[in-house]
Amino acid sequence: MSELETIWENIVVLVGACFLAGLIGGFGAYLAESDTIGFNSFKEKITQLKQYLSYRHIPDDMQASILFFHHCRWKDSQTLDERETLSILPEPLQLDISFAVKQRVIRLVPILDTLPDIVQKRIAHCLILQVYSLRHHPTIYSQGDIGFEIYFIASGVVQIALPDDITELDETGRANADANKQKFESIGLILGAGNHIGESCLCSKSGVRQETIVCRGLEKVELYVLQKDDLNDICSLMGPESGSKLKHALLSRNKSNWHSFNDIAGIDDWENEVSSSTEHLTSRQNSLDKRSSFFPWATPTTGARSTENRRRSSVSQPQRRFSSVSSDILQKQFVEQRNRLKQYEQQQSSDSDSDSSSRSEIV
């Protein structure tokens, strides 16, 4: 083989390798560009997020918290936006899927576990996952922060720090300072799976937080957040009486511990939010008696109760569901929504048939 032939073969090999590399790179770029919901899209989103955080000179610890949150969300759902993925489905299917995914959280919280199935599905559909860790994002919220969310702990452990100076709190927070202290003396300053925090926002107009809550331990903390407005909507569907009892239970009981025996400032405000036309109960003692019969599993075994209340609580049998009236109403609304969806589909099909017949007549 001559020297000229050797040079020619080398040139052919190099050109072929360049063409092959360009072809593979082109297909890789095309697939990456076409992937709008998969892992490549997630990596592109993280890259853009890092560039933005770096351009805005966000502190490193805050950058780590934001990236940790996005990685946990991707690992949990494998989608960029879970709600957008489900939004194309009919509402009954959205409720079923949300409940199937989040029913573990519902089962951990005794108050939610005793609700009717349709109410559990609506609550599950409103829950939003948030992830914290001692290393990346330790503080859930601090005293004086503004927030209108209830946090249900799915995994991990959190620690509560009560304020030394209550002057930073709003009027409702100062009025409930003693009750808040009594609550955490009863349930403890370390909370885990099945407990809920932040429920004081239900009776606060300003949303000023009354305590500081941080992660404890090396494992991550998974919290499911329920917005106050979403809870108000669900309670309005349940009816004024059942909705008020659900909120009373969230404010008075945490997992298996009853911690409130007295009036809570601000209760009247959210009772008016549920239904302004509903008459208030004649006294707070009557309200407590009715809550005890409605939530017998939430009746305190210790504390300031009369002998008559103890006798009543021992006679009452545990009830696993809310009143059948509110459950029937919610089930009826669910059936009506499904029937309206079927009627709409039938109307669409009939319109398309009429259009096709009219076009055939014209032809």
Side-chain angles (χ1 to χ4, degrees):
M1 182 181 294
S2 64
E3 184 178 353
L4 183 61
E5 290 176 342
T6 302
I7 295 175
W8 172 253
E9 288 180 356
N10 290 334
I11 292 175
V12 170
V13 171
L14 290 175
V15 171
C18 291
F19 270 109
L20 181 60
L23 188 63
I24 294 174
F27 270 107
Y30 172 76
L31 294 176
E33 185 70 21
S34 302
D35 185 11
T36 58
I37 60 174
F39 184 67
N40 289 329
S41 180
F42 173 71
K43 289 196 299 183
E44 180 65 21
K45 176 182 178 181
I46 294 297
T47 302
Q48 295 177 359
L49 182 60
K50 289 180 178 178
Q51 293 175 353
Y52 171 79
L53 296 176
S54 176
Y55 176 75
R56 292 297 185 183
H57 303 290
I58 304 299
D60 292 339
D61 57 343
M62 190 176 298
Q63 290 190 32
S65 300
I66 295 172
L67 296 175
F68 172 74
F69 169 77
H70 282 283
H71 279 286
C72 291
R73 287 294 301 270
W74 171 260
K75 184 178 179 181
D76 179 71
S77 63
Q78 294 292 303
T79 59
L80 297 179
D81 191 342
E82 189 173 4
R83 287 181 173 270
E84 183 179 357
T85 304
L86 298 178
S87 62
I88 62 175
L89 299 175
E91 185 176 359
L93 281 179
Q94 294 184 36
L95 297 179
D96 291 338
I97 293 175
S98 297
F99 180 72
V101 173
K102 304 169 186 175
Q103 62 177 332
R104 176 178 64 91
V105 186
I106 302 294
R107 298 289 178 256
L108 286 173
V109 184
I111 297 175
L112 303 184
D113 191 29
T114 59
L115 296 172
D117 293 339
I118 185 62
V119 179
Q120 290 183 1
K121 291 180 180 180
R122 291 186 179 277
I123 291 178
H125 189 56
C126 295
L127 292 177
I128 301 175
L129 175 65
Q130 290 190 6
V131 185
Y132 300 83
S133 74
L134 183 62
R135 178 181 178 183
H136 297 94
H137 195 181
T139 303
I140 299 171
Y141 62 76
S142 302
Q143 172 197 345
D145 289 349
I146 305 298
F148 293 94
E149 304 88 18
I150 304 176
Y151 297 82
F152 297 96
I153 305 175
S155 65
V157 179
V158 300
Q159 183 174 10
I160 293 90
L162 298 177
D164 297 327
D165 184 11
I166 64 173
T167 57
E168 298 180 3
L169 305 179
D170 62 346
E171 181 180 357
T172 304
R174 292 192 296 271
N176 286 331
D178 293 336
N180 200 41
K181 182 179 179 180
Q182 175 187 348
K183 174 179 73 173
F184 289 112
E185 287 177 351
S186 176
I187 66 177
L189 296 176
I190 305 296
L191 302 181
N195 291 109
H196 62 275
I197 52 179
E199 70 276 5
S200 58
C201 70
L202 296 177
C203 51
S204 174
K205 291 183 178 180
S206 64
V208 176
R209 297 298 190 182
Q210 302 179 22
E211 64 279 330
T212 299
I213 300 183
V214 297
C215 299
R216 180 171 179 175
L218 298 178
E219 61 178 351
K220 68 178 181 180
V221 177
E222 292 184 341
L223 302 172
Y224 282 85
V225 180
L226 179 62
Q227 297 286 340
K228 178 182 178 181
D229 291 339
D230 292 334
L231 180 61
N232 286 334
D233 294 339
I234 293 172
C235 290
S236 64
L237 291 174
M238 295 173 64
E241 184 177 359
S242 298
S244 295
K245 289 175 180 178
L246 172 58
K247 290 188 174 182
H248 271 285
L250 290 173
L251 286 168
S252 303
R253 183 178 189 248
N254 203 306
K255 202 173 182 179
S256 58
N257 296 320
W258 177 283
H259 56 76
S260 178
F261 307 97
N262 301 317
D263 292 345
I264 302 174
I267 286 183
D268 289 335
D269 296 332
W270 55 251
E271 282 183 345
N272 291 332
E273 291 179 7
V274 176
S275 176
S276 58
S277 60
T278 303
E279 294 182 358
H280 294 296
L281 299 176
T282 56
S283 66
R284 289 297 179 192
Q285 186 60 41
N286 290 338
S287 177
L288 177 60
D289 292 342
K290 289 194 174 184
R291 290 199 302 275
S292 298
S293 61
F294 196 77
F295 291 99
W297 36 261
T299 304
T301 56
T302 59
R305 289 197 303 158
S306 63
T307 305
E308 180 64 20
N309 284 342
R310 292 179 184 273
R311 185 187 64 79
R312 260 199 298 259
S313 64
S314 62
V315 173
S316 61
Q317 298 295 327
Q319 301 175 1
R320 293 292 296 172
R321 290 289 178 259
F322 273 80
S323 62
S324 58
V325 176
S326 61
S327 178
D328 293 341
I329 293 175
L330 291 170
Q331 190 66 29
K332 182 178 179 182
Q333 293 176 348
F334 181 81
V335 173
E336 289 178 353
Q337 289 180 353
R338 187 170 56 185
N339 291 336
R340 285 198 296 269
L341 179 61
K342 290 182 178 179
Q343 292 176 0
Y344 176 77
E345 293 176 350
Q346 293 174 357
Q347 183 179 1
Q348 291 293 103
S349 61
S350 62
D351 292 341
S352 61
D353 293 340
S354 61
D355 291 340
S356 60
S357 60
S358 61
R359 283 197 298 269
S360 61
E361 291 176 0
I362 293 174
V363 173

